[in-house]
Amino acid sequence: MAKLVVALVAIHGLGRRETRCLLLADLDLARGRLTIRRDLRHTVYLDELTHILASDWLRDRHQRWPLTANPYLLVSQQTVADERLPPVSTMVMNDIFRPLGLSLSKLRQDRILDEARQTADPVHLMRVFGIAAETTMKYIYAAHPERRSTLWR
């Protein structure tokens, strides 16, 4: 599960809440995509590595807890046993990143900023990461400070 979470953040720029709240039904391995359901719903097209990690995690999840009714993609020993069927905790997410010496949010920000450096296209960033226009422009201006000054001339 940890490898899948790191890939979802580092490659696809998912945030903590949207990663924790992914449902099994959101993952379509046959089509290689993941539907992100938050304020700005968008589709993530899985690269080969993330596809493999997602497939491995589903196999592991089913072997460990074949009878769980928990609808979330990411589960832990505690959430599988909880009759309220919650998503994994923030603590579980933090524990994944602690050995890496990173925080989830910092890794996500770096991923989006890297993409902004590659393309200054705000529509592309909005589609790929499902972020709002205002947030997108902050990344564009951080990656290309010269673009901000041209707006005020």
Side-chain angles (χ1 to χ4, degrees):
M1 180 179 81
K3 290 178 183 178
L4 175 59
V5 169
V6 171
L8 291 172
V9 175
I11 298 169
H12 301 286
L14 269 61
R16 179 183 322 279
R17 192 180 102 226
E18 60 194 358
T19 303
R20 286 181 60 230
C21 295
L22 288 170
L23 299 173
L24 279 169
D26 294 335
L27 179 62
D28 183 349
L29 282 178
R31 290 190 174 95
R33 61 186 185 198
L34 182 63
T35 302
I36 309 302
R37 302 171 193 274
R38 65 166 204 194
D39 301 336
L40 298 172
R41 182 178 167 156
H42 71 286
T43 300
V44 168
Y45 296 94
L46 303 176
D47 60 295
E48 184 178 357
L49 175 62
T50 308
H51 192 279
I52 290 167
L53 293 172
S55 179
D56 289 349
W57 166 243
L58 287 180
R59 188 172 30 263
D60 187 46
R61 182 186 193 277
H62 181 71
Q63 285 174 349
R64 287 181 189 208
W65 307 291
L67 302 177
T68 184
N70 191 305
Y72 292 99
L73 175 62
L74 305 173
V75 293
S76 67
Q77 192 169 352
Q78 289 75 28
T79 61
V80 166
D82 190 331
E83 63 188 37
R84 294 170 295 156
L85 306 174
V88 293
S89 69
T90 299
M91 187 175 75
V92 168
M93 298 296 284
N94 291 340
D95 288 348
I96 289 170
F97 289 90
R98 189 170 293 115
L100 303 174
L102 298 168
S103 72
L104 182 150
S105 59
K106 178 66 175 147
L107 183 59
R108 177 177 189 263
Q109 290 168 3
D110 286 350
R111 173 62 184 104
I112 297 170
L113 184 59
D114 181 63
E115 191 72 19
R117 285 186 184 115
Q118 301 303 314
T119 175
D121 180 0
V123 175
H124 172 76
L125 293 178
M126 292 169 70
R127 285 184 179 153
V128 170
F129 300 111
I131 53 180
E134 184 178 334
T135 304
T136 299
M137 293 314 296
K138 288 178 183 177
Y139 281 103
I140 299 259
Y141 293 147
H144 304 278
E146 71 281 358
R147 294 196 76 187
R148 178 179 290 241
S149 61
T150 59
L151 288 176
W152 300 108
R153 290 186 185 170

